[in-house]
């Protein structure tokens, strides 16, 4: 079956024009969302060089110091330490039945 499929021209297997059109639409949507979205990074150490070099766009960012208000249940209280790893995290765990 593999040999048979490999002999069929790719143009007959896939609508390349439609795939290219879909790709353009997806990229356009991604670019538009980048114009509207931003990134917020925080650290308990304002001298953290990685924070400035990578997340603050080569030292062009700003530092804002604040203390979350525990009485008002600030969303910042949900922040957790980032643990970097050489392995990708599992995004979808297989459910056990």
């Amino acid at each position: 079956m593999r040999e048979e499929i490999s002999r069929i021209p790719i143009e007959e297997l896939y609508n390349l024009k439609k795939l290219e059109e879909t790709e353009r639409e997806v990229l356009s949507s991604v670019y538009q969302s980048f114009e509207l979205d931003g990134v917020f990074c925080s650290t308990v150490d304002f001298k953290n060089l990685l924070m400035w070099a990578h997340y603050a766009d080569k030292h062009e960012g700003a530092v804002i110091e604040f203390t979350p208000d525990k009485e008002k249940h600030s969303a910042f209280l949900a922040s957790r330490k980032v643990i970097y790893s050489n392995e990708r995290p599992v995004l979808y765990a297989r459910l056990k039945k």
Side-chain angles (χ1 to χ4, degrees):
M1 182 181 228
R2 181 181 289 167
E3 289 175 20
E4 187 176 325
I5 290 175
S6 67
R7 285 191 291 261
I8 300 172
I10 194 165
E11 293 82 11
E12 291 181 28
L13 290 174
Y14 299 103
N15 182 341
L16 295 179
K17 293 213 185 274
K18 179 65 176 166
L19 287 173
E20 289 171 354
E21 179 183 326
T22 301
E23 179 185 31
R24 278 192 298 275
E25 290 171 3
V26 168
L27 286 175
S28 174
S29 174
V30 169
Y31 291 145
Q32 285 176 359
S33 71
F34 282 167
E35 290 179 10
L36 301 174
D37 295 336
V39 174
F40 172 81
C41 301
S42 63
T43 181
V44 294
D45 177 12
F46 70 90
K47 294 180 183 179
N48 184 313
L49 293 179
L50 283 176
M51 177 67 76
W52 283 104
H54 297 291
Y55 302 126
D57 192 20
K58 300 180 181 97
H59 307 277
E60 294 180 8
V63 173
I64 300 172
E65 182 178 352
F66 63 92
T67 303
D69 187 343
K70 293 179 182 178
E71 299 297 320
K72 294 183 180 179
H73 305 290
S74 171
F76 295 116
L77 294 172
S79 298
R80 298 291 179 260
K81 182 178 180 177
V82 174
I83 299 172
Y84 294 96
S85 172
N86 289 332
E87 298 177 21
R88 290 180 180 239
V90 176
L91 296 179
Y92 301 101
R94 190 177 287 192
L95 299 174
K96 295 182 180 180
K97 292 184 180 181

